[in-house]
């Protein structure tokens, strides 16, 4: 019944210098879901992390994204929403050292029937923990993903993209 | 190896072994819809199971999961955010996902559901869930923990709604196995 090993590492980017963003392009369409695992920090603390996606190797910067989030900041549990935004917002805070962990599950990214939903967990020590469901209102297959911060991402931050193939 | 696999899924990004996580079976709902998604004859060669789902109902419904065909042995605790407030709840009615935000074409619910130590005959089975739906103005995100009061090894999984709703076309459920060391 098993169809074989999956959860394949597609690409890892480790920043040699501070950078504004990290982009994965020409992503194989051979998988079902993508998982982006980030260990990172930013030059300036407590700004944000942001994610964009796109098709045909063109990152969508239009207001085609939205989020619903569950957030804990160490004293209060809350929920917030972003609508018609120009990016996915998995976390509104970040550390100034490489101690943040974000994991994005980009579900059914290669289908051309449904809008694309992203589940993310953001673990930002000292600031917040967030679970978010996000939407890219486009039925196109995703082949490019970009993560960027409210300030530059720190040298040494790592970003690994995995592909999961269903049977 | 299993630590790497689980850490890679939910934790600190340690690269998982590509031999530890395998696709077992996938069901995609056709044009006629389907009331039940079933995975049967699940091999016992893994340590944990994961179901990754993209689904839609015609109207509001909760998700139910039966292990080995047994009903009424599920308890659930969950935490949700609806965009304005965080809330917590529990459910002993057999639901594993208590998340109802309507239905709309092109907007599908997503869930990642884990069943830990599914082959163990010494313990009840524990599930954990991450999921939600966003409609650009409504929707919710969901964290859940479920208990299945059975010490039997799990060989089948059946997924349905709680109210007879069919899964709509393009709903997809993929079952994966995660190996231990």
């Amino acid at each position: 019944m098993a169809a074989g090993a999956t959860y394949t590492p597609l690409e890892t980017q480790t920043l040699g210098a501070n950078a504004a963003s990290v982009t994965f392009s020409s992503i194989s369409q051979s998988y079902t879901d993508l998982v982006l695992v980030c260990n990172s920090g930013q030059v300036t603390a407590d700004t944000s992390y942001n994610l964009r996606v796109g098709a045909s190797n063109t990152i969508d910067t239009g207001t085609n994204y939205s989020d619903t989030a569950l957030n804990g900041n160490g004293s209060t549990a809350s929920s917030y929403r972003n609508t018609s935004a120009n990016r996915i917002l998995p976390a509104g805070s970040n550390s100034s050292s490489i101690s943040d962990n974000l994991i994005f599950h980009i579900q059914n990214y290669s289908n051309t029937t449904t809008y694309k939903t992203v589940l993310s967990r953001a673990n930002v020590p000292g600031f917040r923990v967030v679970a978010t469901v996000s939407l890219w209102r486009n039925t196109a297959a995703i082949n490019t993903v970009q993560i960027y911060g409210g300030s530059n991402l720190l040298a040494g931050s790592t970003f690994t993209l995995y592909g999961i193939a269903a049977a | 190896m299993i630590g790497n696999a689980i850490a890679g899924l939910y934790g600190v990004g340690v690269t998982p072994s590509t031999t530890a996580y395998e696709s077992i079976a996938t069901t995609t709902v056709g044009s006629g819809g389907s009331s039940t998604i079933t995975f049967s004859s699940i091999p016992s060669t893994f340590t944990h199971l994961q179901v990754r789902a993209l689904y839609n109902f015609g109207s509001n419904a909760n998700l139910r999961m039966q292990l080995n065909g047994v009903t009424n042995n599920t308890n659930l605790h969950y935490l949700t955010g609806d965009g304005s407030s965080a809330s917590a709840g529990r459910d002993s009615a057999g639901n594993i996902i208590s998340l109802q935000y309507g239905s709309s074409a092109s907007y599908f619910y997503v869930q990642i559901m884990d069943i830990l130590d599914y082959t163990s005959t010494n313990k009840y089975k524990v599930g954990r869930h991450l999921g939600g739906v966003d409609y650009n103005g409504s929707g919710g995100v969901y964290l859940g923990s479920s208990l299945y009061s059975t010490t039997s090894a799990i060989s089948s999984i059946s997924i349905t709604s709680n109210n007879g709703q069919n899964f709509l076309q393009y709903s997809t459920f993929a079952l994966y196995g995660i190996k231990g060391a």
Side-chain angles (χ1 to χ4, degrees), chain A residues 121-137:
Chain A
R121 286 285 309 272
N123 310 300
V124 185
F127 288 97
R128 64 181 72 225
V129 59
V130 193
T132 307
V133 58
S134 307
L135 184 73
W136 181 48
R137 293 189 314 283

Side-chain angles (χ1 to χ4, degrees), chain A residues 6 8 10-11 24-35 53-59 106-114 116 136 138-145 161-167, chain B residues 176:
Chain A
T6 184
T8 304
L10 302 179
E11 182 181 352
F24 297 90
S25 300
S26 300
I27 298 170
S28 169
Q29 299 297 294
S30 300
Y31 300 94
T32 307
D33 302 332
L34 296 174
V35 181
V53 298
S56 303
N57 283 333
T58 301
I59 292 292
I106 306 172
Q107 301 293 88
N108 296 84
Y109 74 102
S110 59
N111 94 80
T112 55
T113 302
T114 66
K116 306 304 181 289
W136 181 48
N138 196 312
T139 58
I142 293 171
N143 83 333
T144 183
V145 175
L161 186 68
Y162 300 90
I164 297 176
Chain B
Y176 299 88

Side-chain angles (χ1 to χ4, degrees), chain B residues 1 14 54 62 72 76 90 97 117 129 151 155 164-165 168:
Chain B
M1 183 180 292
V14 177
L54 178 84
N62 290 328
N72 301 318
L76 170 70
R90 60 183 299 178
I97 307 292
D117 290 323
H129 320 286
T151 56
S155 60
Q165 290 278 334
L168 299 184

Side-chain angles (χ1 to χ4, degrees), chain A:
Chain A
M1 192 176 184
T6 184
Y7 208 104
T8 304
L10 302 179
E11 182 181 352
T12 295
Q13 297 193 34
T14 301
L15 295 180
N18 296 346
S21 63
V22 170
T23 302
F24 297 90
S25 300
S26 300
I27 298 170
S28 169
Q29 299 297 294
S30 300
Y31 300 94
T32 307
D33 302 332
L34 296 174
V35 181
L36 175 61
V37 180
C38 313
N39 291 342
S40 57
Q42 297 182 39
V43 171
T44 302
D46 201 18
T47 58
S48 66
Y49 284 101
N50 310 276
L51 188 83
R52 288 172 169 162
V53 298
S56 303
N57 283 333
T58 301
I59 292 292
D60 184 2
T61 59
T63 54
N64 299 311
Y65 304 92
S66 54
D67 313 289
T68 304
L70 183 60
N71 176 81
N73 65 3
S75 60
T76 305
S78 62
S79 181
Y80 57 84
R81 167 166 291 123
N82 301 301
T83 59
S84 299
N86 63 0
R87 78 291 181 259
I88 287 170
L89 181 68
S93 302
N94 59 274
S95 305
S96 56
S97 60
I98 302 176
S99 56
D100 301 335
N101 168 237
L102 296 93
I103 302 173
F104 300 89
H105 298 265
I106 306 172
Q107 301 293 88
N108 296 84
Y109 74 102
S110 59
N111 94 80
T112 55
T113 302
T114 66
Y115 291 162
K116 306 304 181 289
T117 301
V118 180
L119 289 172
S120 62
R121 286 285 309 272
N123 310 300
V124 185
F127 288 97
R128 64 181 72 225
V129 59
V130 193
T132 307
V133 58
S134 307
L135 184 73
W136 181 48
R137 293 189 314 283
N138 196 312
T139 58
I142 293 171
N143 83 333
T144 183
V145 175
Q146 181 183 78
I147 185 167
Y148 64 99
S151 63
N152 279 352
L153 303 167
L154 287 172
S157 297
T158 62
F159 305 85
T160 300
L161 186 68
Y162 300 90
I164 297 176

Side-chain angles (χ1 to χ4, degrees), chain B residues 55 57 61-65 94-97 113 159-160 167:
Chain B
Y55 67 95
F57 296 115
N62 290 328
L63 206 65
R64 287 190 171 178
M65 180 185 288
N95 300 311
I96 62 155
I97 307 292
M113 301 176 282
I159 304 170
T160 65
F167 292 106

Side-chain angles (χ1 to χ4, degrees), chain B residues 77-96:
Chain B
H77 285 79
Y78 57 87
L79 185 62
T80 63
D82 65 1
S84 61
S85 62
S87 62
R90 60 183 299 178
D91 185 308
S92 58
N95 300 311
I96 62 155

Side-chain angles (χ1 to χ4, degrees), chain B residues 31-50:
Chain B
S31 59
S34 179
S35 63
T36 307
I37 305 299
T38 300
F39 298 106
S40 57
S41 302
I42 297 171
S44 60
T45 50
F46 301 99
T47 303
H48 310 299
L49 296 174
Q50 183 175 88

